Structure formats: C-alpha cells, structure tokens
Amino acid sequence: MKQQGPLLETLTRRLAECPADFLAEPRIGSVGAVPVAAVVYDLIRDLGGAPLTRQQAAVFQPTDAKKHRNRQSLALIACWLLRDAWFCEQKQFAEQAYRLLAQCLNELAASLPAHKFVTDPDRREELTRLCLKELDLRPAGETIEQAQDRLTTLNTAERQRVILAARQAEERARAVRKAMAASKAKAESDAKAMRE
C-alpha cells in the first residue's frame, strides 16, 4: 500500500453502479452468458499487460459450475471495478490485477455471494480495499496504517475465522463444564456410598 490510489468513494460508487452485463451468469462450460476469460483478457490489455496465455485464461474457464460460479461472478465484478479510468491510465497494474483475479478472490468468494459485493456498502468497501491492497495501493487521503486497519475491520474471512474460533472455544468450554459436572456428580455419589 505504498502508493496512493484513487478516492475510495469513487470506486465504491462504481461498484454500486455495476452494470447488468457484469452481474450476469458467468459462462461455465456451455452454461451461462458471460465468458469470464474474455473479460479478464480485455481488462489485462487495458491495464497495459500482454495478452493472456492459454494457461492464464484457463483459470477463468472452469468446468464445475457448482464449485466455481460464485468465484467467477466475483471476478467479473472485480473486473468492472478495475476497469476504472484511473487504473487504465496508469498502464502498470496488469500483473497485480491478474494475480488478484486468479488467486486472491477465492476466500471472499467462499464466504459470501458475489452480488453482496455490489449491493452491501460494507462489502463494496471491502472488495475495493482488497483490490487496492493487491495493487499495492491505498485509498487517496489515507495513511498506510489507516488503510490496513480499515481493511482488517471489514475483512469477511477474518471475521468468519474469529466467529469459528469463538464457537470452538465455547464448545470446548461446554465440554469442560459437562466433564466437571459429571466428575462432581461421581464424587458426590462416591461420597454418599461411603457414608452408607
């Protein structure tokens, strides 16, 4: 997050105005409307990158719709965000954008439906901040610390890890209480038997 990027509000507004074409069903196999590999190809070229190789494009041409639909949908939404004129004018973010689209969206896609990153204000901000971070940018007007702190606060995957850890801790505590109650009941039973 060394460099300042565009204003956060500009990008979150762009996400809120995401056109229907980018929200349409991604093509997976012969089902769906939008060929995600073609959209990514165009974006990478617009960002100043070389054409995708077949191997690079293959990441966006999965065959298992159930497993990859949400991830492909989120990639389309991120493509719309990164197609903002500010990024395209720089002609330097193609490599980072490809890595973001190919690898860094997996955790988000596994946690929430893709459309939430357009309809929910906090999720719009989260996706925007994640994209900026992966391009080594921070929102204009923010320090590195502010940008990192806000992204951590919004991080869906981290919040789910904390919730899971809390549930596991509660389960362990419940098991300990149950074991202690059983131990106490046995001790009382043994003490009663000794008295008789």
Side-chain angles (χ1 to χ4, degrees):
M1 296 185 183
K2 297 173 189 163
Q3 295 179 301
Q4 281 199 56
L7 287 168
L8 181 73
E9 294 78 18
T10 302
L11 297 177
T12 56
R13 186 175 341 105
R14 182 173 175 84
L15 275 179
E17 297 167 353
C18 186
D21 291 346
F22 286 84
L23 297 172
E25 192 71 21
R27 185 175 303 148
I28 299 176
S30 61
V31 179
V34 184
V36 180
V39 174
V40 172
Y41 179 95
D42 290 345
L43 172 68
I44 298 303
R45 292 297 305 260
D46 290 343
L47 294 175
L52 296 181
T53 65
R54 285 181 194 248
Q55 184 178 7
Q56 289 173 316
V59 172
F60 304 101
Q61 298 169 325
T63 56
D64 184 348
K66 188 174 182 179
K67 184 176 178 184
H68 296 284
R69 178 176 287 117
N70 197 57
R71 195 209 166 292
Q72 296 294 87
S73 293
L74 187 55
L76 286 172
I77 293 167
C79 283
W80 166 250
L81 178 67
L82 296 175
R83 184 57 188 82
D84 184 76
W86 191 94
F87 299 112
C88 293
E89 289 168 3
Q90 307 300 312
K91 298 290 185 196
Q92 68 181 37
F93 297 113
E95 187 178 320
Q96 298 99 316
Y98 177 81
R99 186 179 65 249
L100 164 73
L101 296 168
Q103 300 169 6
C104 300
L105 296 177
N106 295 338
E107 205 168 30
L108 277 183
S111 60
L112 287 171
H115 70 88
K116 290 283 190 187
F117 294 95
V118 172
T119 60
D120 182 275
D122 285 342
R123 302 298 60 89
R124 282 195 300 265
E125 183 179 349
E126 179 181 11
L127 179 59
T128 300
R129 287 181 178 279
L130 175 68
C131 289
L132 289 173
K133 175 185 164 270
E134 293 302 323
L135 300 182
D136 203 21
L137 298 169
R138 65 183 184 279
E142 290 187 11
T143 66
I144 294 171
E145 293 78 20
Q146 289 170 325
Q148 288 173 336
D149 183 56
R150 185 64 183 153
L151 180 58
T152 300
T153 301
L154 291 167
N155 190 316
T156 298
E158 184 60 31
R159 186 171 52 255
Q160 288 184 339
R161 279 191 286 274
V162 169
I163 290 169
L164 178 61
R167 284 183 187 149
Q168 290 172 339
E170 179 57 33
E171 286 298 319
R172 285 191 300 274
R174 190 175 295 124
V176 167
R177 285 192 300 271
K178 187 177 178 181
M180 288 173 62
S183 177
K184 181 179 177 185
K186 183 176 183 333
E188 288 174 357
S189 175
D190 290 348
K192 184 178 177 183
M194 294 280 270
R195 285 191 301 267
E196 294 174 356

